Amino acid sequence: MLDTALWISLALILMALMLNVYRMTVGPSMPDRLLALDTMYVNSIALIVLMGLWLNSKTYFEAALLIAMLGFISTVAVCKYLLRGDIIE
């Protein structure tokens, strides 16, 4: 049962990643592209968690936590750059 659920969730997350790549390339404005990139971070975290469930390893969960922190910090930095033109005040 878990194996089937992992395959279905893997397919859905990969489909979401493909839609995010489409939004990044076609996005009409820079904030749209930034949101697509942020959503790609979330989807990649979900893929790493799925891999951790599949391989029954705790290391992947720690890696997902690190990627989540880096994704948040980079999103904040890019948003500040887009709004003000400067990251550090």
Side-chain angles (χ1 to χ4, degrees):
M1 179 73 176
L2 182 63
D3 194 39
T4 305
L6 287 174
W7 277 110
I8 291 171
S9 59
L10 176 70
L12 292 174
I13 291 172
L14 287 176
M15 186 176 64
L17 274 171
M18 287 188 294
L19 291 172
N20 285 328
V21 169
Y22 173 75
R23 176 50 61 191
M24 276 187 60
T25 56
V26 179
S29 65
M30 189 56 76
D32 288 332
R33 291 185 175 115
L34 180 63
L35 285 173
L37 182 66
D38 190 43
T39 308
M40 284 181 74
Y41 277 121
V42 173
N43 289 336
S44 65
I45 291 167
L47 279 177
I48 292 172
V49 168
L50 281 177
M51 190 161 191
L53 285 172
W54 191 293
L55 298 175
N56 200 14
S57 175
K58 295 179 184 177
T59 307
Y60 292 102
F61 298 109
E62 294 173 6
L65 182 63
L66 287 173
I67 290 175
M69 289 189 297
L70 288 174
F72 174 74
I73 291 170
S74 65
T75 301
V76 169
V78 172
C79 285
K80 283 183 80 172
Y81 178 74
L82 284 177
L83 288 175
R84 299 181 187 163
D86 193 17
I87 296 174
I88 300 173
E89 296 175 359

